[in-house]
């Protein structure tokens, strides 16, 4: 879980114009939050706290019309808790199994470490990515749970977990799989339009022949989230020792995401 605490001292700005810019930037964070993974928190007496421009309950009335309602909606997006959190040490003590960051506009006059500061969409994504990377390699289950953060451009189809769940994160086979997924994810991120040019992936990969596809159609049809059943042909090839491995993937042109249908030994794929 990722917790983001609305830090009062990081909401002080030189001008109200800067305050409004901060509202706009932090609202982008709220828009991007994942309700299953991200929790927004604030002190229950937040509105009664003071700022450089007055009590927070007074501030909406000092803003331009565009930001009156937006400021109230933004700050109320954070769930009230009955205690103030003054620093990262206390934060980690209270929420000791989570990743904990601070949300605000300007942290220059605070002691909050830079890697805990969230001021907009970019720092929000960076924080979540760093957190996922740090925690993902604790176990294969943690790795799987972090897959959307680690590989935002990939979608894993329904049986992939069964194919990798027996591996340890210390297994060299896992290391090879992770490296292939990393490369595929990064390359997919550059795919914005047109066809997926698999030849530029930088890995040994190719489609199967039409004849082979026709003979093994049922075996290579995988069920995937949202898009349902798809026939997989493109695959990445590598060896672990003398054992051939395959990663079958399907580029979805409507979303520019790549769906992963199979990861494992070639001999176990069934075709």
């Amino acid at each position: 879980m990722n917790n983001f605490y609305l830090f009062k001292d990081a909401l002080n700005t030189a001008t109200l114009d800067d305050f409004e810019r901060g509202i706009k930037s932090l609202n982008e964070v709220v828009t991007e939050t994942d309700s299953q993974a991200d929790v927004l928190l604030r002190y229950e007496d937040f509105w009664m706290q003071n700022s450089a421009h007055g009590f927070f309950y007074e501030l909406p009335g000092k803003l331009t019309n565009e930001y009156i309602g937006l400021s109230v909606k933004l700050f109320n997006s954070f769930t009230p808790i009955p205690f103030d959190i003054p620093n990262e040490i206390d934060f980690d003590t209270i929420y000791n199994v989570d990743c904990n960051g601070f949300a605000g506009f300007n942290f220059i006059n605070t002691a909050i470490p830079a890697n805990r500061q969230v001021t907009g969409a970019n720092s929000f994504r960076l924080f979540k990515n760093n957190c996922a990377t740090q925690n993902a390699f604790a176990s294969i289950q943690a790795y799987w749970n972090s897959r959307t953060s680690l590989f935002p451009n990939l979608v894993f189809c329904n049986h992939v977990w069964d194919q990798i769940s027996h591996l340890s994160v210390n297994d060299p086979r896992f290391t090879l799989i992770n490296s292939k997924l990393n490369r595929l994810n990064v390359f997919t991120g550059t795919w914005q339009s047109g066809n997926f040019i698999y030849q530029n992936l930088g890995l040994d990969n190719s489609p199967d022949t039409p004849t082979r596809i026709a003979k093994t159609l049922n075996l290579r049809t995988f069920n995937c989230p949202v898009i349902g059943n798809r026939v997989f042909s493109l695959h990445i090839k590598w060896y672990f020792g003398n054992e051939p491995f395959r990663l079958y993937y399907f580029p979805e042109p409507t979303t520019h995401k790549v769906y992963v249908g199979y990861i494992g030994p070639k001999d176990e794929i069934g075709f």
Side-chain angles (χ1 to χ4, degrees), residues 96-236:
N96 58 10
V97 296
D98 298 331
C99 288
N100 302 311
F102 292 84
F105 303 158
N106 180 6
F107 286 85
I108 193 169
N109 292 319
T110 76
I112 302 301
N115 64 345
R116 300 289 193 104
Q117 301 173 10
V118 174
T119 58
N122 289 337
S123 55
F124 176 69
R125 294 174 198 142
L126 181 61
F127 177 89
K128 291 187 62 172
N129 184 67
N130 289 342
C131 180
T133 301
Q134 291 169 10
N135 295 334
F137 297 92
S139 67
I140 192 66
Q141 183 67 65
Y143 182 80
W144 180 252
N145 292 344
S146 302
R147 64 192 181 279
T148 56
S149 297
L150 292 172
F151 309 111
N153 303 307
L154 308 181
V155 180
F156 293 83
C157 298
N158 294 350
H159 293 294
V160 174
W161 167 242
D162 296 332
Q163 296 153 11
I164 67 170
S165 60
H166 65 286
L167 295 172
S168 161
V169 292
N170 298 315
D171 191 319
R173 291 172 297 176
F174 167 80
T175 302
L176 287 170
I177 288 170
N178 182 59
S179 69
K180 308 304 178 186
L181 289 172
N182 274 324
R183 179 60 191 168
L184 181 59
N185 177 67
V186 170
F187 182 74
T188 303
T190 68
W191 180 36
Q192 303 297 323
S193 62
N195 295 325
F196 186 88
I197 311 300
Y198 71 88
Q199 297 92 335
N200 295 339
L201 177 56
L203 295 171
D204 184 7
N205 77 132
S206 64
D208 283 322
T209 64
T211 300
R212 188 171 181 226
I213 293 172
K215 289 181 178 179
T216 58
L217 195 61
N218 290 337
L219 292 171
R220 65 173 64 246
T221 301
F222 303 133
N223 187 263
C224 303
V226 181
I227 64 172
N229 290 336
R230 289 293 186 274
V231 176
F232 283 66
S233 171
L234 284 165
H235 57 285
I236 299 167

Side-chain angles (χ1 to χ4, degrees), residues 61-82:
K62 299 180 180 181
L63 305 177
T64 57
N65 288 340
E66 178 185 356
Y67 289 94
I68 294 174
L70 184 60
S71 64
V72 175
K73 182 179 179 181
L74 170 66
F75 296 138
N76 283 340
S77 297
F78 290 75
T79 301
I81 56 176

Side-chain angles (χ1 to χ4, degrees), residues 12-137:
N12 289 320
T13 59
T15 67
L16 285 173
D17 285 343
D18 291 335
F19 193 87
E20 290 181 348
R21 281 189 284 270
I23 289 171
K24 182 177 181 181
S25 185
L26 206 55
N27 189 61
E28 294 174 355
V29 171
V30 175
T31 301
E32 288 200 15
T33 53
D34 177 353
S35 61
Q36 300 300 312
D38 305 321
V39 178
L40 303 177
L41 303 169
R42 65 171 170 86
Y43 183 36
E44 63 183 4
D45 287 336
F46 166 79
W47 288 106
M48 300 302 297
Q49 291 178 308
N50 211 348
S51 76
H53 305 292
F55 290 102
F56 282 104
Y57 72 83
E58 299 175 322
L59 294 188
K62 299 180 180 181
L63 305 177
T64 57
N65 288 340
E66 178 185 356
Y67 289 94
I68 294 174
L70 184 60
S71 64
V72 175
K73 182 179 179 181
L74 170 66
F75 296 138
N76 283 340
S77 297
F78 290 75
T79 301
I81 56 176
F83 46 83
D84 194 13
I85 301 177
N87 54 59
E88 73 279 5
I89 297 173
D90 287 4
F91 206 170
D92 292 344
T93 299
I94 300 168
Y95 299 94
N96 58 10
V97 296
D98 298 331
C99 288
N100 302 311
F102 292 84
F105 303 158
N106 180 6
F107 286 85
I108 193 169
N109 292 319
T110 76
I112 302 301
N115 64 345
R116 300 289 193 104
Q117 301 173 10
V118 174
T119 58
N122 289 337
S123 55
F124 176 69
R125 294 174 198 142
L126 181 61
F127 177 89
K128 291 187 62 172
N129 184 67
N130 289 342
C131 180
T133 301
Q134 291 169 10
N135 295 334
F137 297 92

